[in-house]
Amino acid sequence: MLSFSTERRKGEFHGTGCVLSSALAVFIGRGMPVEKAVEKAKGFVEKMLRSAKPVGKGRVKYFQF
């Protein structure tokens, strides 16, 4: 059985699991072994988090019917 882990980052992030699973699917789809695909996907998410902008406190306007 394979096991992968990483340290938890401080802050509020949304969508990291979706990005990780999508990146993982892409790398596996490109024919990479699972271990290498996980390494690359984790690196991709880490890079994304380093450049992430803080979440604002603005209001979201939804369509009203």
Side-chain angles (χ1 to χ4, degrees):
M1 177 187 338
L2 299 174
S3 178
F4 303 95
S5 65
T6 190
E7 290 185 26
R8 186 172 181 89
R9 280 184 155 263
K10 291 185 180 186
E12 291 186 38
F13 302 100
H14 179 78
T16 54
C18 294
V19 171
L20 178 65
S21 63
S22 296
L24 186 57
V26 167
F27 294 128
I28 289 172
R30 289 183 178 173
M32 288 185 189
V34 173
E35 294 88 348
K36 184 68 175 174
V38 169
E39 178 184 320
K40 298 271 289 180
K42 284 175 64 174
F44 181 80
V45 172
E46 190 62 37
K47 182 178 177 182
M48 179 197 69
L49 290 174
R50 281 195 301 272
S51 64
K53 304 287 186 239
V55 176
K57 300 216 185 279
R59 294 179 57 171
V60 177
K61 193 169 193 174
Y62 295 99
F63 291 107
Q64 295 177 341
F65 298 97

